Amino acid sequence: MLDAKIPAGNLEKKWDDYKSHVKLVNPANKRKLEIIIVGTGLAGASAAAALGELGYKVKAFCFQDSPRRAHSIAAQGGINAAKNYQNDGDSVFRLFYDTIKGGDYRSREANVHRLAEVSANIIDQCVAQGVPFAREYGGLLSNRSFGGTQVQRTFYAAGQTGQQLLIGAYQALERQVALGNVDMYTRHEMLELVTIDGKARGIITRNLVSGELERHFGHAVLLCSGGYGNVFYLSTNAMGSNTTAIWKAHKKGAYFGNPCYTQIHPTCIPVTGDHQSKLTLMSESLRNDGRIWVPKKQGDTRKSIDIPEEERDYYLERRYPAYGNLVPRDVASRAAKERCDAGYGVGTSRQAVFLDFAAAIQRYGKIEAGKRGLGDVDAATITLMGKEVVKEKYGNLFDMYEKITGENPYEVPMRIYPAVHYTMGGLWVDYELMTTIPGLYALGECNFSDHGANRLGASALMQGLADGYFVIPYTIGNYLADEIRVNAIPTSHPAFEEAEAKVKARIEELMNIKGSQTVESMHKRLGKIMWDKCGMARNAQGLQEAIQEIRQLKAEFWSDVKIPGTINEFNPELDKAGRVADFIELGELMCIDALERSESCGGHFREEHQTEEGEALRHDAEFMFVSAWEYQAQHQWKLHKEPLLYDVVKPTQRSYK
């Protein structure tokens, strides 16, 4: 039976009561305890900085050449916090409610409320670190809207919020490195979890420069390795982003929660051909001012500027008048797909819709003219001033779009289409962020927690920093308080010997295949199966076919993949091969989970389960639970269910109309 360890009592008091009664480790004992952190994005860097500051001995690992290259740096639009700076009705409860509703009532209430509670602390922490959030004219921090909400609660730094937040966390981390509280290991990839007497006690890593395998002991292990969207091959994730760390933990006994919950982001630059290795995100913040539309006539090949206003279908505003262009990501993505599938798509591929800033430019231009006290202003000047305002708000995003597409978005609408972005699934964790393996924790995107079946925009950065700065420093003490008598276990222990031998044997097996197909080609084939049959829309037949196709691909991979080079050297193809092998196994589980969940909810859209209006149709009586999968053997998993009990929020059919 899964125990989520949710504290008793009123929802709004659970976290305070927990902190008041949790076990503590005194400062002298913290210096004796070693903690391993895998991944140094926002969750990992903030956790390493916070735990190092508390006095623990921390070892932090990343496969990049610097923690600053973690994929968190790519986040654009902003970070949510319930500060109500705009005085527009926001509150901790409203952020909690929006997150539960946005996740289509498949989140754990206690975790989400805690996230909303600590959100305000995150902003104060980051401002103190010097993060350059955008500010209003009077100096107050600025906010903008994101999908799924009717308030402005998103703090931002132009279109590079993730970069600025990561630099803040990185500086805090590097301070602890300089003080000797954190040992930083770059270019190291975790390839196995070491358990002793059922508890996580270390990891086996590979030095990606020399190829050498290394053993590292820890009283606890924190996985902060991000999401697994690259299982689809094409995604907005950095190409190095992978599932290996959490997949190794899963095969060691950590349950995998809700693997099928994938977020498709509606605002990405469309695919242009088979040559692409990744996709580019255009921030959801653009939906604040951009209007999304398609021609009213099917197959219309005219240029956007030649299509008059009365012949444009602003379909999100038409279908969802209460939220308009700011509906949640899953809703906006499906709506775009529906229009394109019906023959209204634009561009050469017909797999795109327009995101148009013309109206915003005129609106801002008129406001600017008023601010400057200008009376009779000609249209060209209004347009010019409007463009200046838009450039200040979104300039780096517009520049990025023009560099990639060759089109000027100040003059013509952007073309966008949905793409894989974030994964709500991940290792199952309890209220303390501990997995089903004692001493093994998962933070940020690599756990299943908080976002249900669909993540609200600007909540990923919030969760990563909340877990690292404000949750794990309390919850890990509850475990380590009972570990203070455990001395550091020598890495000559048989468990370390066995784990390293397992890693070595797998690497040798990969290198000895000497087949004819590249790792990249295998990854592309996996991605096509996943996107076509477990992507934006899924059905039972397609998922059953996908499971068989993935199993065949796995057999082919392990018999015919070609990896050049040698083991004991810098060998990116070998690194990639190990990651793709794990993606193949994860892809199978994702399809199994999607097939098992015979309902639609959030980003999991089963075509057999939709309303008359084409919206997701949940079946709460049968599926009000977290799917937690236990690995048993090749192609075999056992499903455990954590019931979701709603004491405060009443689940209803989502409506954004």
Side-chain angles (χ1 to χ4, degrees), residues 430-489:
D430 60 23
Y431 187 74
E432 297 181 323
L433 305 184
M434 190 189 287
T435 69
T436 48
I437 298 176
L440 178 68
Y441 295 80
L443 284 64
E445 189 179 354
C446 75
N447 73 28
F448 90 98
S449 180
D450 298 5
H451 305 300
N454 173 65
R455 176 178 67 78
L456 290 182
S459 287
L461 307 184
M462 176 175 62
Q463 187 209 346
L465 291 178
D467 287 356
Y469 281 137
F470 299 109
V471 178
I472 199 65
Y474 287 97
T475 63
I476 199 168
N478 203 37
Y479 172 76
L480 291 178
D482 296 326
E483 299 294 312
I484 58 176
R485 295 177 181 82
V486 177
N487 294 322
I489 299 172

Side-chain angles (χ1 to χ4, degrees), residues 175-228:
R175 178 173 178 271
Q176 295 305 315
V177 172
L179 292 172
N181 297 326
V182 176
D183 290 331
M184 188 68 230
Y185 294 83
T186 60
R187 290 292 193 187
H188 281 68
E189 182 167 25
M190 171 187 158
L191 294 182
E192 188 59 87
L193 176 71
V194 179
T195 58
I196 299 175
D197 297 328
K199 294 182 177 181
R201 291 300 190 198
I203 61 173
I204 305 298
T205 65
R206 182 170 181 267
N207 183 319
L208 299 182
V209 176
S210 67
E212 181 183 356
L213 297 182
E214 300 175 7
R215 310 171 188 180
H216 297 276
F217 163 80
H219 289 88
V221 177
L222 277 57
L223 301 183
C224 311
S225 53
Y228 49 88

Side-chain angles (χ1 to χ4, degrees), residues 77-78 131 138 307 426 498 505 547:
V131 172
I307 301 175
E498 181 184 343
I547 292 168

Side-chain angles (χ1 to χ4, degrees), residues 511-530:
M511 291 299 298
N512 289 331
I513 295 171
K514 301 187 186 306
S516 61
Q517 300 186 56
T518 65
V519 176
E520 189 80 354
S521 67
M522 296 282 202
H523 194 182
K524 276 188 178 181
R525 287 169 58 190
L526 172 66
K528 180 168 175 53
I529 295 169
M530 294 299 297

Side-chain angles (χ1 to χ4, degrees), residues 39-273:
T40 53
L42 286 183
S46 60
L51 296 173
E53 183 78 35
L54 287 172
Y56 292 106
K57 295 166 65 177
V58 178
K59 287 182 177 180
F61 297 83
C62 69
F63 65 75
Q64 299 93 343
D65 60 358
S66 166
R68 284 186 58 179
R69 294 195 185 276
H71 185 59
S72 301
I73 207 167
Q76 298 170 345
I79 176 171
N80 288 332
K83 277 186 167 292
N84 195 31
Y85 276 9
Q86 303 299 320
N87 197 29
D88 57 0
D90 200 14
S91 64
V92 167
F93 181 84
R94 194 172 292 277
L95 174 53
F96 157 74
Y97 177 80
D98 286 346
T99 305
I100 292 285
K101 178 183 176 182
D104 216 355
Y105 305 96
R106 291 295 179 263
S107 308
R108 190 190 286 154
E109 271 192 341
N111 286 62
V112 175
H113 197 277
R114 176 177 65 189
L115 178 64
E117 286 179 65
V118 305
S119 65
N121 298 342
I122 297 169
I123 304 304
D124 296 339
Q125 171 92 358
C126 294
V127 169
Q129 291 173 339
V131 172
F133 287 119
R135 293 179 181 268
E136 305 287 0
Y137 177 77
L140 296 177
L141 297 183
S142 182
N143 295 111
R144 55 191 179 198
S145 298
F146 259 60
T149 71
Q150 291 182 307
V151 298
Q152 289 182 282
R153 66 162 68 99
T154 304
F155 296 78
Y156 63 97
Q160 46 186 245
T161 313
Q163 178 175 341
Q164 300 303 330
L165 290 172
L166 186 61
I167 289 172
Y170 169 75
Q171 290 175 154
L173 167 61
E174 286 301 307
R175 178 173 178 271
Q176 295 305 315
V177 172
L179 292 172
N181 297 326
V182 176
D183 290 331
M184 188 68 230
Y185 294 83
T186 60
R187 290 292 193 187
H188 281 68
E189 182 167 25
M190 171 187 158
L191 294 182
E192 188 59 87
L193 176 71
V194 179
T195 58
I196 299 175
D197 297 328
K199 294 182 177 181
R201 291 300 190 198
I203 61 173
I204 305 298
T205 65
R206 182 170 181 267
N207 183 319
L208 299 182
V209 176
S210 67
E212 181 183 356
L213 297 182
E214 300 175 7
R215 310 171 188 180
H216 297 276
F217 163 80
H219 289 88
V221 177
L222 277 57
L223 301 183
C224 311
S225 53
Y228 49 88
N230 279 349
V231 70
F232 291 89
Y233 185 71
L234 286 180
S235 82
T236 65
N237 288 258
M239 290 177 64
S241 298
N242 63 82
T243 190
T244 291
I246 59 171
W247 194 250
K248 300 308 183 191
H250 171 58
K251 294 185 76 171
K252 203 81 173 184
Y255 292 3
F256 209 110
N258 296 334
C260 77
Y261 286 166
T262 306
Q263 177 160 88
I264 312 295
H265 197 295
T267 318
C268 300
I269 297 178
V271 176
T272 57

